[in-house]
Amino acid sequence: MAITVQLDDLLHARRMTLTQLAERIDLTLANASILKTGKAKAIRFSTLEAVCRELDCQPGDLLRYEPD
């Protein structure tokens, strides 16, 4: 897929675990893991907003387009 998720990098930079983020944005750890590994096929704007709020980032910091 041409869209990659940079969640791991953002979590590392913020010294936050995936579990902490999932709890803060009321997302199951399983769904957070799917997002982190790039296996998600979609993301709700409300989830994207919550991630950006907690990580103090912009959507473009989280998602990257890399053509094949």
Side-chain angles (χ1 to χ4, degrees):
M1 180 180 279
I3 302 292
T4 59
V5 180
Q6 307 300 310
L7 184 55
D8 200 33
D9 296 337
L10 289 170
L11 287 170
H12 181 73
R14 302 318 191 263
R15 297 180 184 258
M16 185 183 298
T17 67
L18 187 63
T19 302
Q20 290 170 324
L21 177 65
E23 289 173 355
R24 291 180 183 186
I25 64 172
D26 196 29
L27 192 65
T28 66
L29 185 55
N31 283 338
S33 180
I34 288 170
L35 180 60
K36 178 183 167 191
T37 59
K39 294 181 181 177
K41 299 295 181 193
I43 183 171
R44 291 182 180 174
F45 280 154
S46 59
T47 301
L48 182 59
E49 179 182 359
V51 170
C52 289
R53 181 187 65 242
E54 291 302 320
L55 295 179
D56 189 29
C57 68
Q58 294 294 313
D61 299 329
L62 182 64
L63 304 173
R64 181 175 298 152
Y65 174 71
E66 296 178 1
D68 295 333

